Amino acid sequence: MNTKLVKTGKIIDGQEVIGIELTNTKGTYVKVYNYGTIISKFVVTNKQGEKQDIVLGFDDFDQYLSEGYRENYPYLGAVIGRYANRIKDGRFNLEGLDYQLAKNTGYDCLHGGKTGFDSRVWEVLSTIDPSVTMRYVSPAAEEGFPGNLVVELTFKLTDEDELILDYKATTDAVTPINLTHHSYFNLSPDGGPIIHHHHRMPASYYLEQDDTYCVTGKLIPVAGTHHDFLAGKPIGENWDTELGYDQTYVLDKAYGELTLASETTEAASGLKLTVYTTEPVAHFYTAKYLDVKNGKGGAHYEPFGAFCVETQHAPNSVNVPSLPSTILKPGERYQQTTIYKIEHQ
């Protein structure tokens, strides 16, 4: 087992950007940058005994900053905060006070605003083979959010091929918080569309969205719809061929329990990605808007060329009291764990 720090030579906001490489005894390899805690590589061994990278990203760090990539920014492999997904009209009321956030997708606030946690340099606190803990201090009023928020995120790679993400946060004023990670997965050894990946989710309901993809709070049964992944099926079976999936699924689980969020397999590689989480929902996204040129090996990442399982609390729940609360108060601690586990079929 090994943890290695690699300098990029890049300085952003006066802080050095570092790559942290985690390797277990099986040779599974994960590379994370302290910029946005981006998971840039997740290399595993497939059933042919070949090394295969299962996440989308770039070979060179500078490409994450390129103008072309940022124009149609898909948040490849980055942490999302202070608030994942959309907040309706970029507004909420907290303890009688109205807060206006940055609007960066139409009239709404998406993934924390114009400059979210995905575009910040995190401090590397510690490395213990093979793991790394990073911290970001989000000042009060950043992107319009109240309270100074201190966030720590630990990545740990086990010999069972589990990549464990442990999040912790504290605040000095009442504030909403909803963190997730936005890795784009493709389990095929040849890349391409993910329509034949077999996907299962223990979720009997998904959340209604309005015409700007903001959650309303209404739960819709998956039974009898193409949203039903309870028994598992190919992702492209009976789906909307133009939209794919961009929905929040309510997991069948006890609140706070670390249990299954999804299970995805791919026949050619023989790989199975299982996601476990303490969070109440998983946002399933099949990358409709993906259009990234010059990815790894010069690849062009196109729509439906990856899938995301974004474990979190419900989007816009700061405005929907019926949903589990995303409010953190002084003296409390935000905690969540998400695990990506790789196995063979």
Side-chain angles (χ1 to χ4, degrees):
M1 296 189 293
N2 182 258
T3 301
K4 182 180 179 181
L5 303 184
V6 180
K7 295 180 180 292
T8 66
K10 203 77 179 177
I11 303 295
I12 298 177
D13 296 331
Q15 300 177 81
E16 183 179 16
V17 177
I18 299 170
I20 303 98
E21 299 178 337
L22 310 176
T23 308
N24 69 11
T25 57
K26 294 182 178 179
T28 299
Y29 164 79
V30 173
K31 185 172 185 178
V32 183
Y33 289 108
N34 67 327
Y35 176 84
T37 75
I38 293 170
I39 300 174
S40 68
K41 294 184 179 181
F42 195 159
V43 180
V44 302
T45 305
N46 63 25
K47 72 177 182 180
Q48 287 83 21
E50 302 166 337
K51 294 296 184 183
Q52 181 182 329
D53 196 342
I54 61 171
V55 297
L56 274 55
F58 295 110
D59 293 318
D60 181 63
F61 173 75
D62 284 349
Q63 291 173 279
Y64 288 100
L65 308 177
S66 68
E67 184 176 341
Y69 171 62
R70 290 278 164 166
E71 282 179 358
N72 184 35
Y73 182 41
Y75 302 85
L76 289 183
V79 70
I80 302 298
R82 183 178 299 197
Y83 205 98
N85 213 291
R86 288 167 172 79
I87 295 177
K88 183 69 175 177
D89 296 325
R91 300 177 63 183
F92 61 89
N93 182 282
L94 196 55
E95 296 188 330
L97 297 177
D98 290 322
Y99 292 90
Q100 180 63 61
L101 308 176
K103 298 180 180 181
N104 60 322
T105 178
Y107 293 102
D108 305 321
C109 179
L110 174 67
H111 289 338
K114 295 179 180 178
T115 308
F117 292 1
D118 58 285
S119 299
R120 304 291 185 182
V121 181
W122 291 52
E123 177 189 2
V124 177
L125 289 182
S126 65
T127 56
I128 303 173
D129 291 344
S131 71
V132 60
T133 298
M134 291 179 272
R135 176 172 61 194
Y136 178 64
V137 180
S138 175
E142 183 174 68
E143 298 298 314
F145 288 96
N148 296 293
L149 185 73
V150 180
V151 184
E152 291 186 9
L153 175 52
T154 298
F155 296 82
K156 181 180 181 181
L157 180 62
T158 74
D159 277 338
E160 288 71 42
D161 281 345
E162 297 170 321
L163 181 61
I164 303 172
L165 279 61
D166 279 318
Y167 304 75
K168 297 178 182 177
T170 57
T171 182
D172 63 359
V174 179
T175 188
I177 177 174
N178 190 19
L179 305 179
T180 192
H181 224 269
H182 211 301
S183 286
Y184 286 71
F185 293 98
N186 188 315
L187 305 182
S188 169
D190 302 314
I194 44 82
I195 56 174
H196 299 298
H197 284 52
H198 193 273
H199 187 72
R200 182 169 73 90
M201 298 181 74
S204 298
Y205 296 88
Y206 68 100
L207 290 169
E208 180 185 64
Q209 298 172 156
D210 65 16
D211 56 2
T212 66
Y213 295 97
C214 283
V215 163
T216 67
K218 181 181 178 181
L219 275 67
I220 303 176
V222 301
T225 76
H226 69 276
H227 293 281
D228 188 349
F229 286 98
L230 285 167
K233 64 178 180 178
I235 289 175
E237 181 178 298
N238 299 324
W239 72 344
D240 186 315
T241 56
E242 293 185 4
L243 299 177
Y245 292 97
D246 192 0
Q247 274 81 29
T248 300
Y249 290 81
V250 180
L251 300 173
D252 297 336
K253 56 176 290 185
Y255 185 73
E257 178 186 8
L258 178 61
T259 190
L260 181 70
S262 69
E263 182 181 271
T264 311
T265 58
E266 200 279 329
S269 68
L271 293 173
K272 177 169 72 172
L273 172 67
T274 307
V275 182
Y276 301 91
T277 190
T278 56
E279 294 297 274
V281 309
H283 191 85
F284 184 50
Y285 175 51
T286 53
K288 171 194 173 183
Y289 299 106
L290 188 64
D291 182 14
V292 176
K293 296 178 173 62
N294 299 314
K296 295 173 186 176
H300 180 193
Y301 299 140
E302 299 181 290
F304 311 122
F307 67 95
C308 305
V309 180
E310 304 161 51
T311 53
Q312 56 188 268
H313 274 57
N316 196 40
S317 52
V318 67
N319 289 314
V320 185
S322 62
L323 296 172
S325 175
T326 53
I327 303 304
L328 182 67
K329 299 178 180 180
E332 298 177 342
R333 173 171 292 207
Y334 169 94
Q335 288 185 288
Q336 72 132 303
T337 298
T338 291
I339 301 174
Y340 303 119
K341 182 176 176 63
I342 291 294
E343 300 172 278
H344 293 102
Q345 295 184 64

